[in-house]
């Protein structure tokens, strides 16, 4: 047996912010951001909006498409790095918004690779016969941990959520192969210094801006391409497939130059790479499920297509999953 994707959904905040909007408040320009990142717009939560509401909307869309009721969801997994509350996370908020009735839920934290890790976890639990319908949601409200005075990071990020509903399938459909990795040598490339138990929130941590995401952009950039290439090749080998068999690659949407470089190294036709970073920017754990949902709903990705999802992120984590839709 296998684990198949039954349906998908996604959600973006209503507020669209252009590079020109950002250039009014920080020292940047549309030309710099487009040329260095490929990003033109991003969608950001308003101050009064709840992050988990994006996960709820994405989840509702997936359930509606599958014609599955909330009380038929056996497990909810919310992949996120910046939960609504450090304790108890985002998953109970999403469960409440969806109206789940007593099903287990948990948060999964694995950097921007969280959704890819989540697919592997859900696959194992479904194959083990423990759960029927698993709702996996990538949810991220990066605007809430972004230093809006730091032009090196704030232009990169957006908010959003994407969801898939998974269930038991035939062996030749759904998740055909995967490869996950971790490299703790790179753990400080992307991190949020304070607010955890290592450095609890204090007046000093706030004054020093330690509740904002810190990133060594060039270090992340150098690691990202070989990490996604290695995991894509390994996941395909596990699936017994080659790049020739792949209809679509959906890379984590971090930077168009990273995506272009990966595409080139894999020797894949750029027309077969799903890209939405120009519009939604980097939404971390949400980036792959949003791109997958947009690809499916627009009809670009068809049932039966072989799709590779690959990501890298804080930790450092990286990995890939091969799916037959
Ligand atoms: O999900 C994973 C998350 N992170 C990533 O994937 C990030 C990966 N890294 C990157 O995407 C790139 O490293 C960045 C886009 C972050 C930076 O691009 P870069 O080509 O590596 O630029 P840089 O950091 O080397 O900076 C070049 C110049 C610097 O000016 P000086 O020191 O040469 O005078 C920066 O201060 O560009 C300047 N700069 C900016 N200028 C205008 C940095 N950010 C901006 C900006 N607007 N927003």
């Amino acid at each position: 047996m296998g684990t198949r994707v039954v349906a998908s959904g996604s959600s973006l905040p209503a507020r669209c912010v252009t590079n020109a909007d950002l250039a009014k408040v920080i020292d940047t320009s549309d030309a710099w951001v487009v040329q260095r990142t490929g990003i033109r717009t991003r969608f950001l939560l308003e101050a009064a909006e709840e992050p988990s509401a994006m996960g709820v909307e994405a989840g509702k869309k997936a359930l509606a498409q599958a014609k599955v009721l909330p009380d038929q969801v056996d497990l909810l997994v919310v992949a996120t790095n910046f939960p609504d509350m450090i304790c108890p996370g985002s998953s109970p908020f999403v469960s409440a918004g969806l109206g789940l009735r007593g099903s287990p839920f948990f948060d999964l934290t694995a950097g921007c690779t969280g959704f890819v890790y989540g697919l592997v976890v859900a696959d194992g639990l479904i194959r083990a016969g423990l759960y029927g319908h698993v709702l996996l949601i990538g949810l991220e409200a990066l605007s809430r941990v972004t230093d809006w005075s730091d032009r090196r990071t704030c232009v990169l990020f957006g908010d959003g959520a994407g969801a898939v509903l998974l269930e038991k399938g035939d062996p030749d459909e759904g998740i055909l192969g995967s490869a996950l990795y971790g490299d703790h040598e790179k753990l400080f490339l992307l991190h949020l210094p304070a607010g955890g138990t290592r450095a609890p929130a204090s007046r000093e941590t706030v004054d020093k801006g330690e509740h904002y995401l810190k990133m060594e952009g060039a270090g992340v950039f150098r690691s990202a391409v070989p990490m996604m290439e290695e995991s894509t090749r390994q996941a395909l080998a596990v699936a017994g497939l080659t790049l020739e068999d792949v209809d679509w690659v959906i890379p984590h949407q971090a930077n168009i130059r990273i995506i272009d470089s990966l595409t080139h190294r894999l020797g894949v036709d750029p027309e077969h790479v799903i890209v939405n970073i120009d519009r939604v920017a980097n939404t971390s754990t949400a980036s792959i499920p949003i791109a997958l949902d947009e690809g499916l709903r627009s009809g670009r990705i068809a049932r039966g297509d072989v799709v590779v999802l690959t990501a890298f992120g804080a930790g450092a984590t990286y990995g890939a999953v091969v799916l037959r839709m």
Side-chain angles (χ1 to χ4, degrees):
M1 65 172 261
T3 297
R4 71 186 198 100
V5 176
V6 188
S8 65
S10 61
S11 168
L12 296 169
R15 180 165 63 116
C16 180
V17 176
T18 65
N19 294 338
D21 294 332
L22 292 180
K24 288 180 198 148
V25 286
I26 51 159
D27 181 15
T28 191
S29 66
D30 178 56
W32 192 96
V33 181
V34 171
Q35 194 209 338
R36 298 293 181 109
T37 72
I39 297 165
R40 293 178 187 276
T41 60
R42 71 282 295 142
F43 294 86
L44 303 177
L45 291 171
E46 300 283 1
E49 286 180 307
E50 288 201 16
S52 55
M54 299 185 295
V56 172
E57 188 182 350
K60 278 186 178 167
K61 286 180 181 169
L63 293 182
Q65 191 181 55
K67 299 189 172 58
V68 165
L69 297 170
D71 58 11
Q72 295 173 295
V73 174
D74 301 302
L75 172 69
L76 168 68
V77 183
V78 178
T80 187
N81 294 291
F82 308 107
D84 286 51
M85 289 183 183
I86 287 182
C87 178
S90 284
S91 53
F93 290 97
V94 176
S95 174
L98 288 171
L100 304 193
R101 302 248 159 83
S103 303
F105 47 71
F106 64 89
D107 282 27
L108 185 156
T109 306
C112 299
T113 322
F115 184 80
V116 172
Y117 269 56
L119 282 173
V120 176
V121 170
D123 183 37
L125 293 171
I126 290 170
R127 279 172 195 266
L130 289 172
Y131 299 104
H133 286 121
V134 177
L135 185 61
L136 171 64
I137 298 178
L139 166 63
E140 218 71 86
L142 280 164
S143 65
R144 299 284 166 91
V145 293
T146 297
D147 179 351
W148 288 101
S149 67
D150 177 9
R151 69 176 183 174
R152 289 167 305 146
T153 52
C154 76
V155 299
L156 303 174
F157 300 125
D159 300 329
V164 289
L165 184 71
L166 303 161
E167 70 175 17
K168 190 169 75 173
D170 294 331
D172 60 348
E173 66 176 345
I175 298 172
L176 303 179
S178 64
L180 300 182
Y181 302 89
D183 180 356
H184 58 246
E185 299 289 332
K186 297 190 167 72
L187 79 86
F188 286 111
L189 280 183
L190 257 166
H191 70 294
L192 197 149
T197 49
R198 193 180 164 98
S202 68
R203 192 176 300 268
E204 198 188 347
T205 60
V206 172
D207 288 346
K208 286 160 80 178
E210 292 183 343
H211 296 271
Y212 295 128
L213 188 60
K214 311 290 179 198
M215 184 181 73
E216 269 184 54
V220 176
F221 198 111
R222 274 195 304 276
S223 305
V225 178
M227 284 174 166
M228 292 198 288
E229 182 186 2
E230 179 188 2
S231 29
T232 297
R233 292 189 187 280
Q234 182 56 26
L236 283 168
V238 171
L241 297 175
T242 70
L243 281 157
E244 306 269 293
D245 302 308
V246 174
D247 296 294
W248 297 101
V249 177
I250 307 184
H252 169 45
Q253 309 283 309
N255 184 316
I256 193 66
R257 293 186 293 147
I258 292 175
I259 295 173
D260 287 347
S261 177
L262 174 72
T263 304
H264 179 72
R265 283 172 68 150
L266 291 174
V268 174
D269 179 352
E271 291 295 312
H272 289 263
V273 179
I274 303 274
V275 174
N276 65 5
I277 188 171
D278 52 319
R279 197 165 45 82
V280 305
N282 178 349
T283 58
S284 185
T285 346
S287 96
I288 286 179
I290 292 171
L292 176 64
D293 180 54
E294 290 180 353
L296 285 166
R297 283 179 189 261
S298 67
R300 287 181 84 192
I301 304 175
R303 283 283 159 195
D305 281 356
V306 173
V307 182
V308 180
L309 315 177
T310 182
F312 66 95
T317 59
Y318 56 111
V321 163
V322 181
L323 292 170
R324 191 188 306 278
M325 299 307 304

